[in-house]
Amino acid sequence: MPERVRLGIVGLGVEGAAYANFIAQGKVPNMVIGAVSDVNPAREEAAKEYGVKFFSDYKEMITSGLVDAVVTTVPHYLHPEVGIFALENNVHALVEKPVGVYTKQAQRLIDLAKQKPELKFGVFFNQRTNPLYKDLRELFVSGELGALRHTSWIITNWWRPQGYYDMSAWRATWGGEGGGVLVNQAPHQLDLWQWICGVPKSVFAKVQFGFRRDIAVEDEVNALVSFDNGATGSFMTATHDMMGTDRLEILCDSGKIVVENSKDVTIWRLKKPEQELSKAMSMEEVGKLFSGQLDTSAFMTKETKQYTSVWGEQHSEVMRNFAAAIHGEEELLAPGADGIHGVRLANAIHLSAWTGSEVSIEKFDDDAYLAQLNKRIREEGKFEERN
Amino acid sequence: MPERVRLGIVGLGVEGAAYANFIAQGKVPNMVIGAVSDVNPAREEAAKEYGVKFFSDYKEMITSGLVDAVVTTVPHYLHPEVGIFALENNVHALVEKPVGVYTKQAQRLIDLAKQKPELKFGVFFNQRTNPLYKDLRELFVSGELGALRHTSWIITNWWRPQGYYDMSAWRATWGGEGGGVLVNQAPHQLDLWQWICGVPKSVFAKVQFGFRRDIAVEDEVNALVSFDNGATGSFMTATHDMMGTDRLEILCDSGKIVVENSKDVTIWRLKKPEQELSKAMSMEEVGKLFSGQLDTSAFMTKETKQYTSVWGEQHSEVMRNFAAAIHGEEELLAPGADGIHGVRLANAIHLSAWTGSEVSIEKFDDDAYLAQLNKRIREEGKFEERN
């Protein structure tokens, strides 16, 4: 059995401490804490509890020889910076979501990782370990339900009160965070949606910036996307709905999936592709349809399932899979390069809202997005522009 | 008690015959069948069963003195034509939905009706008699839930097989019907949505024409709308989903409504407006939120209700209300002028899809829409252009 992977934790905040605890509690059997870094010297005390060395500079930790890999639990703009420094110094990188705030930055990390195939580069999409979404992806990819027609996700159970936004000066700013619900909360769904249904070609969006919260960035998003072959999708998210909805619907040529609250799944399977059933229907049956006498349930089966998923288990599983990939035992569940899709869709949604027009995802203009983002950082006047 | 209103039925097809039967069965106590007209002479036999005179020309029926009012169960393009002829001849008009296929045509009827205040002009929005939607409108208009934030309606239980479209040469053509699901099936929801939530200012739409049906017009619609004050809405409908969804969500400043299958209603009422709750939340409570220890249900009440509504009762109720309005006893539940909102939203959705850009509803360009519609009628080459 190979040595356990020594993980360097960059940032010992709420998330970093949670990961450290999972490892310390033995929940990630193929991993140990190698060292901890944080810009806040007060966190050295906490690091001592894990019996590891503390660094105030993550770069010193990465070059110390004490860690084989790092995880980047730091503000979003830093994810690719830390990831790039790790890979440049031959340390594996498990990058928090989103893999970058803007595509140009995320792409730099992804391009570097391609040149270092001997190093593992993963993104922390813990929800990919959720059996519900793993099963849905498997079902969709199997082709059993046929081609996609339409999908919608209403995901408004990301309720965040004003006090959350007021916690840190960088939060919910263009220069410090680079966006709102699209960058902070919804990246999980932006990933799962595309992981299961595929990557859209274009998007039109109506985005509300500081709609019901006193913030510069978005607290509500409405997006309409086009996939290949005429399929469409709708994505709605917000942080101001205290009665949050989580409802995913996927309509295909030969069936349909509805997921409520990331727990209750209903799957309809048509006995033949819908267009065949439609074409084969006699005029007598059409007549019955209108008088309510046609039992369409005879043309399909309906399955319902309930799932439970435990928050901490997802995170431990991502770390276990990452260490197993380093050991050459498993494929990465969430390769870092996959992270570009969520970043690009989020950027394209912003850009569509800012320009009032539909935006190509296939031929996304990274520079146009960055220019618009920098315009907002400049007007905000609190942080430096990005490149 | 006043005389019973003598209704002339223009078109004795499936719908017209159903209405005639409701009246003949005494389900509309303040109405009798005055006469029947149909271009198909074979329907004279059916008219005899009701013991009334049959006309092959609706104009002769309207000027015969045998009817006080008409209902227009004829193809959509004819609704305003018949309505105008009736009002011009001092006969009350109950016009089937949609009140017109395009705004310019619908507006001519509405303008004429304004000059004839002594005549009643109603639109056959039978779903407005559904107690569920009446209650929702009352709740919304009362202001108890506060201002609208977001609303979405997924209404795909309008499943129609290919055989339905192949029944008549005019069906699902630009020249004969003027549209697909927006003109034929969804006008009810386009009306209810705006009746409850208000009229949007603009729309962007992705519309699929002949996507999964062999037709010229749309079998799928995805629309994003903007209301006043930053509120947004999403409307999705299709005729190709055999497992049809019907789910309406209305999120307001002080509560939320979810309706499933036009039957099951859930209403959340916040104890204070959401922004007040958001601002008043202490850092301790914010902390609890993230560790899953904050019970947000303490800030709201949740009510669930189940409704049943009988299809035929709705239609009889529209006719009864119309006759009562003629007698000066009641206000019209669905004044004809209200019909313009559904027509305009449907037209704006088409226009947005055709131009690939957002379309103003407030300043809708009736001529631009008609020009685009006529272009499609011309290319189709089966029917005459409209004016």
Side-chain angles (χ1 to χ4, degrees), chain B residues 204-219:
Chain B
F204 178 91
K206 288 176 181 275
V207 178
Q208 305 293 72
F209 302 98
F211 178 48
R212 288 297 194 263
R213 291 295 179 270
D214 189 14
I215 54 175
V217 296
E218 75 281 358
D219 54 348

Side-chain angles (χ1 to χ4, degrees), chain B residues 127-332:
Chain B
Q127 299 222 19
R128 283 198 185 188
T129 71
N130 185 329
L132 188 162
Y133 294 110
K134 283 172 85 170
D135 288 357
L136 285 195
R137 175 177 153 87
E138 204 172 296
L139 174 63
F140 189 89
V141 170
S142 77
E144 189 188 344
L145 298 187
L148 179 69
R149 290 185 177 186
H150 180 75
T151 175
S152 66
W153 203 335
I154 304 175
I155 174 74
T156 58
N157 62 6
W158 289 122
W159 188 71
R160 294 290 180 268
Q162 187 62 41
Y164 161 79
Y165 290 110
D166 297 342
M167 281 195 304
S168 314
W170 59 269
R171 197 178 287 285
T173 61
W174 290 114
E177 188 157 19
V181 64
L182 284 172
V183 172
N184 196 310
Q185 289 81 26
H188 287 300
Q189 283 80 28
L190 292 179
D191 176 61
L192 292 175
W193 202 37
Q194 297 181 92
W195 190 48
I196 298 168
C197 298
V199 176
K201 289 161 45 179
S202 66
V203 64
F204 178 91
K206 288 176 181 275
V207 178
Q208 305 293 72
F209 302 98
F211 178 48
R212 288 297 194 263
R213 291 295 179 270
D214 189 14
I215 54 175
V217 296
E218 75 281 358
D219 54 348
E220 184 187 306
V221 170
N222 303 273
L224 270 188
V225 304
S226 294
F227 295 91
D228 274 331
N229 305 318
T232 52
S234 162
F235 188 84
M236 198 270 155
T237 189
T239 57
H240 60 63
D241 181 359
M242 210 167 187
M243 291 73 58
T245 293
D246 177 5
R247 186 181 185 282
L248 169 64
E249 177 163 333
I250 304 174
L251 176 66
C252 298
D253 277 343
S254 296
K256 182 168 174 173
I257 301 165
V258 172
V259 186
E260 303 254 17
N261 302 313
S262 292
K263 275 186 200 157
D264 300 307
V265 179
T266 308
I267 301 167
W268 291 265
R269 291 173 174 88
L270 288 168
K271 293 180 180 171
K272 288 182 184 174
E274 190 269 348
Q275 271 182 298
E276 277 184 41
L277 292 171
S278 160
K279 283 179 185 161
M281 193 148 291
S282 68
M283 289 313 290
E284 195 191 332
E285 286 172 307
V286 175
K288 281 186 179 175
L289 176 70
F290 283 92
S291 54
Q293 293 172 306
L294 186 75
D295 180 13
T296 52
S297 70
F299 300 108
M300 62 189 80
T301 62
K302 182 179 172 182
E303 180 189 10
T304 57
K305 291 194 217 185
Q306 283 204 314
Y307 287 80
T308 51
S309 184
V310 181
W311 179 80
E313 284 180 7
Q314 289 185 4
H315 296 79
S316 300
E317 173 59 13
V318 169
M319 291 190 281
R320 191 207 57 73
N321 166 259
F322 188 65
I326 290 172
H327 287 147
E329 299 161 353
E330 291 181 23
E331 292 295 311
L332 279 175

Side-chain angles (χ1 to χ4, degrees), chain A residues 206 208 213 230 274 358, chain B residues 206 208 213 230 274 358:
Chain A
K206 289 177 180 273
Q208 304 293 73
R213 291 295 180 270
E274 191 269 346
E358 189 159 11
Chain B
K206 288 176 181 275
Q208 305 293 72
R213 291 295 179 270
E274 190 269 348
E358 189 159 9

Side-chain angles (χ1 to χ4, degrees), chain A residues 327-377:
Chain A
H327 288 146
E329 299 161 354
E330 292 181 21
E331 292 295 310
L332 278 176
L333 194 62
D338 281 17
I340 195 72
H341 300 302
V343 178
R344 193 181 286 131
L345 181 51
N347 287 183
I349 288 172
H350 274 155
L351 194 56
S352 174
W354 291 335
T355 60
S357 57
E358 189 159 11
V359 165
S360 171
I361 295 169
E362 273 184 317
K363 297 179 183 171
F364 186 67
D365 188 339
D366 307 287
D367 291 317
Y369 180 76
L370 182 56
Q372 288 269 359
L373 177 63
N374 273 328
K375 177 169 171 272
R376 279 156 187 84
I377 294 173

